[in-house]
Amino acid sequence: MTSAQLVNTCPVCGAEESLDAMLHRMIQDDEARRLIYEVITRSFVLGGHVARYLRLHKPAKHRLSMTKARAVLAELVPAVTGSFTRKGREWQLGRDGWDAAFAAVFRQAESGALQLPLSGNAYLFEVAMQLADKAEAAAEKQHEHSLRS
């Protein structure tokens, strides 16, 4: 999918703008813009989660700096579009796993159990690792059950 295929249409006047032009207008940092574009073009659902997740990093009385956004995205985008390494191990989650990980973080933030603003991706990655462990355990249990049958 190319950026030319993704067009934002104003619901009021019907004016059209390509995703690339919209991101360029909104985000002045080339690297942050590229990372956001990569997530959005791979998965609109995850793109929405990432945009919401970035807001959890915004200080209450300040704007989220592009330096901080770029740092968060530079670590996050490769993880949600492929894999990430934590605690000496490579982890991988599918889209459903990332949906669940983001949902868990959002629930914690909404309940006040999470201290905001977040400083990085550590909490999200911890949640993702727990979900990946559970999925692997369930798959292993199913595999052992099928071998016994």
Side-chain angles (χ1 to χ4, degrees):
M1 182 175 291
T2 67
S3 61
Q5 294 170 310
L6 298 171
V7 176
N8 178 46
T9 304
C10 175
V12 177
C13 70
E16 293 184 346
E17 178 179 36
S18 72
L19 178 62
D20 190 47
M22 182 177 68
L23 289 175
H24 187 71
R25 181 175 47 78
M26 292 171 44
I27 301 167
Q28 300 301 314
D29 184 279
D30 290 337
E31 181 69 6
R33 187 171 48 246
R34 183 192 63 76
L35 291 165
I36 291 170
Y37 176 79
E38 189 172 324
V39 168
I40 290 172
T41 57
R42 290 183 187 224
S43 168
F44 280 107
V45 172
L46 284 179
H49 289 328
V50 169
R52 183 175 173 194
Y53 177 71
L54 275 177
R55 287 194 292 271
L56 298 179
H57 293 81
K58 180 193 166 300
K61 296 183 180 199
H62 303 285
R63 291 183 359 194
L64 176 63
S65 75
M66 276 299 116
T67 302
K68 185 172 183 178
R70 184 184 327 114
V72 169
L73 290 168
E75 185 180 40
L76 181 63
V77 170
V80 299
T81 58
S83 63
F84 63 100
T85 303
R86 279 294 224 240
K87 298 184 179 180
R89 180 174 167 203
E90 182 130 341
W91 301 87
Q92 211 167 17
L93 271 180
R95 189 178 127 198
D96 290 343
W98 283 110
D99 283 343
F102 280 114
V105 170
F106 298 148
R107 276 193 307 276
Q108 291 296 310
E110 290 166 2
S111 74
L114 203 56
Q115 186 174 352
L116 299 177
L118 295 177
S119 60
N121 296 310
Y123 185 76
L124 175 65
F125 286 167
E126 285 295 321
V127 171
M129 290 185 309
Q130 290 173 5
L131 291 170
D133 272 342
K134 286 180 185 177
E136 288 172 6
E140 187 175 323
K141 187 176 180 179
Q142 179 63 34
H143 179 68
E144 288 175 7
H145 179 70
S146 66
L147 290 176
R148 282 188 236 132
S149 299

